[in-house]
Amino acid sequence: MSAPSHRDLARLLEDSRALTEVPEAHGTLVGALCAGESFGLREWFDEVFPEGRPGAAQRGMQELYRWTREALAAGELRFAPMLPDDDAPVAERAQALGEFCQGLLYGLGTSALPDPEALPTQVAEIVRDIGAITNVGVDPEESEEESEQAYAELVEFVRVGVQLLFDELAPYRQPQTAAPDGPPASLH
């Protein structure tokens, strides 16, 4: 299964009066899937659409949801953030990457995960770096080629970072079980 087209989804979300753009909506989904096993399509629709009603965007969003879950679960670095195509201006793509990262942090925050600083060191570092990327922009002093290179490196960092988050947070997505005569088993 391949990912739906950003361009098609953007049009569908606009027509459905979505509360957010595609990158931020996708980031929210990804963050919530990284943090919690039970985040379903209905919960995502509630985050993205007024009154949770996707209208004409339902089929495309269902495809994106399925593709995202499958890509992350495969663990083969098939995941990619839903961003504008390479023919869009680099400034627009960089802004979309920042929106994806903002949505990702929001999605992580919708779960019962502990404070990022209480998570494994690698996870906390990725979350901090993704937080910094929310403010990404294009330096007007850089050439187009330099901007393209910097953008490509950030996208690759986010792509790999998301997969690492998904893999590293797997124990936190599992239901907690209590020992027969004690508190819940520790994940550490």
Side-chain angles (χ1 to χ4, degrees), residues 6-7 9-15 17-29 44 47-49 61 64 82-84 92 95-104:
H6 175 275
R7 193 170 282 138
L9 285 173
R11 182 181 40 76
L12 288 169
L13 262 63
E14 184 178 332
D15 292 348
R17 294 186 186 87
L19 303 171
T20 185
E21 303 283 327
V22 173
E24 187 174 354
H26 191 224
T28 298
L29 171 63
W44 188 38
E47 294 291 337
V48 177
F49 298 101
M61 296 297 275
L64 181 59
M82 184 61 58
L83 301 169
E92 180 182 323
Q95 179 180 347
L97 181 61
E99 291 169 4
F100 174 86
C101 291
Q102 183 175 341
L104 176 70

Side-chain angles (χ1 to χ4, degrees), residues 56-163:
Q58 183 165 338
R59 185 166 183 237
M61 296 297 275
Q62 286 172 325
E63 289 175 16
L64 181 59
Y65 180 86
R66 270 193 308 276
W67 174 82
T68 301
R69 283 187 72 95
E70 289 174 12
L72 289 170
E76 300 169 356
L77 292 177
R78 293 189 315 180
F79 171 79
M82 184 61 58
L83 301 169
D85 296 330
D86 289 342
D87 60 351
V90 70
E92 180 182 323
R93 289 181 281 140
Q95 179 180 347
L97 181 61
E99 291 169 4
F100 174 86
C101 291
Q102 183 175 341
L104 176 70
L105 295 175
Y106 177 80
L108 286 170
T110 64
S111 73
L113 279 178
D115 182 311
E117 297 304 319
L119 294 169
T121 303
Q122 185 176 22
V123 171
E125 287 175 7
I126 292 169
V127 170
R128 275 193 302 274
D129 290 344
I130 286 174
I133 294 171
T134 63
N135 298 314
V136 70
V138 174
D139 184 348
E141 302 294 318
E142 286 186 347
S143 70
E144 182 76 18
E145 185 176 317
E146 290 171 319
S147 294
E148 287 287 348
Q149 180 64 33
Y151 170 78
E153 289 173 8
L154 284 176
V155 170
E156 185 63 11
F157 173 84
V158 169
R159 191 177 78 76
V160 172
V162 163
Q163 189 65 60

Side-chain angles (χ1 to χ4, degrees), residues 173-184:
R173 290 193 300 273
Q174 305 304 316
Q176 296 288 324
T177 56
D181 58 343

Side-chain angles (χ1 to χ4, degrees), residues 28-51:
T28 298
L29 171 63
V30 170
L33 290 175
C34 284
E37 192 65 35
S38 65
F39 191 78
L41 193 57
R42 174 64 26 221
E43 289 86 4
W44 188 38
F45 286 172
D46 287 343
E47 294 291 337
V48 177
F49 298 101
E51 300 175 21

